[in-house]
Amino acid sequence: MSVISVPQAFNEEELYVDVESIFGHSLLLKCEGFNFAGSIKLKAAAEMVAAAERDGTLTVDSILVESSSGNLGVALSMIAASKGYRFVCVTDSRCNLTTRLMMEALGSEVHVVVGQEANGGFLGARLDHVRQMCATDDRCVWLSQYTNQANWKAHYRTTAPEIAHSFPELDVLFVGAGTTGTLMGCARYFRSWHRPVRIVAVDSAGSVAFGGAPGRRMIPGLGMSMRPPLLDESYVDEVVRVEEADTIRACRRLARQGFLFGGSTGTVVSGAIGWLTDHGAKALTSVAVAPDLGERYLDTIYQDNWVQDLYGTDIVDDAQLALANSAACRPEPSR
């Protein structure tokens, strides 16, 4: 039995889903969406708030301010509500309506910026808005998930040791890249582990986190329109980039088997399955971090009109065909 008094005190740490029956490769998804914030961002949010409280930056009179495309904003909204802080989330038009409504239901204020950059991103406009708020009100405390060392330390202390405890023979770990907090925390931990672990970063096509040309990105979560300040590529063995159409296909295939995951998870799964296929890696112990669940994407990834308007009609048909093929290949249960 778990009895808690604050929502951030609970997080399911040991739930994994094996998707081999769906995708044909043994891949274990570490499900990080089973907490009151609904995503892995709860860990970073709790660590950053605690660090700011310890060093005296955050006080009872402070106004928490953060730029977020969604999940961190929800996590900070929840923590702010439980601790009595005022919180302002600065987001953009890609943030799902459900996510914005959740933050407001938790008592947060949501500012939606509209200024899009030449590279198609909104991050610069969001950061400018945060800086302006901080410059005009000295009560504002910006945690800055993009530069805050507590971001990656949260996963060094929690996510990585949890995986290591469950899978002492781990061979390869797939981690999505946004701010790269999860990626850097896990990569640093496993660099000094008792056996080598291949760290594969999964990024969204159109992101410039690891270089390359910027492109349109409509699914919030992974990817950056600038190089993440926390990123140290010396800890990363490989980078896999995933098109958003493939993210949607992966999410929909999982959903048709009863697993409703979010866009970040679909991206990681698609990238991981592609890597395992390319490497013929049947005997490896492979784990992927699944950051979020899918309820917040019902009006985007799981909405046919939204998908078809942005990506064409083929994606929905492709997802159904892939599902039919996987079902045809699945062995019948023994009697």
Side-chain angles (χ1 to χ4, degrees):
M1 175 187 294
S2 296
V3 178
I4 63 173
S5 57
V6 291
Q8 60 269 28
F10 172 76
N11 187 70
E12 173 56 59
E13 300 174 353
E14 297 183 346
L15 178 63
Y16 293 81
V17 173
D18 190 343
V19 299
E20 183 172 15
S21 64
I22 304 172
F23 293 98
H25 286 280
S26 180
L27 176 66
L28 297 150
L29 306 186
K30 187 180 193 305
C31 300
E32 289 283 352
F34 290 97
N35 55 55
F36 284 94
S39 82
I40 196 170
K41 288 294 189 177
L42 176 61
K43 292 177 172 178
E47 189 76 16
M48 290 191 296
V49 168
E53 289 174 333
R54 286 194 301 268
D55 66 20
T57 304
L58 187 59
T59 68
V60 293
D61 297 321
S62 298
I63 302 172
L64 273 173
V65 182
E66 186 55 89
S67 160
S68 170
S69 62
N71 285 337
L72 182 72
V74 173
L76 285 173
S77 294
M78 189 192 76
I79 293 172
S82 74
K83 288 177 171 284
Y85 294 123
R86 180 181 167 190
F87 172 55
V88 179
C89 180
V90 179
T91 189
D92 59 67
S93 59
R94 293 177 305 177
C95 180
N96 300 321
L97 175 60
T98 301
T99 300
R100 299 206 302 266
L101 294 175
M102 287 181 68
M103 289 189 279
E104 291 170 349
L106 290 163
S108 298
E109 187 176 333
V110 181
H111 294 186
V112 182
V113 302
V114 296
Q116 193 168 12
E117 302 154 52
N119 63 8
F122 292 87
L123 181 56
R126 291 189 347 221
L127 297 184
D128 286 344
H129 189 89
V130 171
R131 292 188 187 102
Q132 183 178 12
M133 290 185 64
C134 292
T136 55
D137 191 335
D138 59 10
R139 295 174 299 167
C140 291
V141 174
W142 180 20
L143 296 177
S144 184
Q145 61 168 323
Y146 311 102
T147 60
N148 196 320
Q149 298 297 306
N151 187 344
W152 70 261
K153 288 178 181 178
H155 303 287
Y156 186 92
R157 287 196 315 103
T158 60
T159 309
E162 290 160 9
I163 295 169
H165 174 75
S166 297
F167 300 97
E169 300 302 314
L170 179 67
D171 293 305
V172 58
L173 178 64
F174 300 93
V175 186
T179 65
T180 68
T182 308
L183 175 64
M184 287 292 96
C186 290
R188 283 187 165 94
Y189 181 90
F190 284 110
R191 175 61 62 88
S192 58
W193 207 37
H194 74 276
R195 59 178 281 138
V197 175
R198 193 157 196 82
I199 302 296
V200 180
V202 182
D203 197 12
S204 299
S207 164
V208 301
F210 294 90
R216 183 188 73 169
R217 291 181 294 113
M218 300 301 298
I219 300 174
L222 301 185
M224 291 277 281
S225 57
M226 67 178 188
R227 180 179 174 82
L230 296 177
L231 176 62
D232 183 342
E233 289 189 61
S234 68
Y235 288 95
V236 179
D237 295 300
E238 290 184 59
V239 179
V240 175
R241 291 179 172 85
V242 175
E243 297 287 345
E244 288 191 329
D246 292 323
T247 292
I248 294 167
R249 292 184 181 101
C251 284
R252 286 174 168 242
R253 285 184 68 178
L254 287 161
R256 293 302 187 269
Q257 296 300 311
F259 296 109
L260 193 71
F261 284 108
S264 296
T265 296
T267 301
V268 174
V269 169
S270 179
I273 293 299
W275 188 94
L276 292 169
T277 300
D278 291 344
H279 290 73
K282 290 287 187 181
L284 296 179
T285 298
S286 305
V287 172
V289 178
D292 55 355
L293 300 179
E295 292 92 337
R296 297 170 197 175
Y297 298 85
L298 293 177
D299 57 351
T300 54
I301 287 173
Y302 297 104
Q303 217 285 329
D304 286 352
N305 290 337
W306 186 87
V307 171
Q308 291 169 354
D309 286 347
L310 289 172
Y311 305 96
T313 58
D314 293 341
I315 294 180
V316 176
D317 295 337
D318 288 349
Q320 293 296 338
L321 179 60
L323 177 65
N325 289 339
S326 67
C329 295
R330 191 175 302 126
E332 292 185 7
S334 57
R335 299 186 180 184

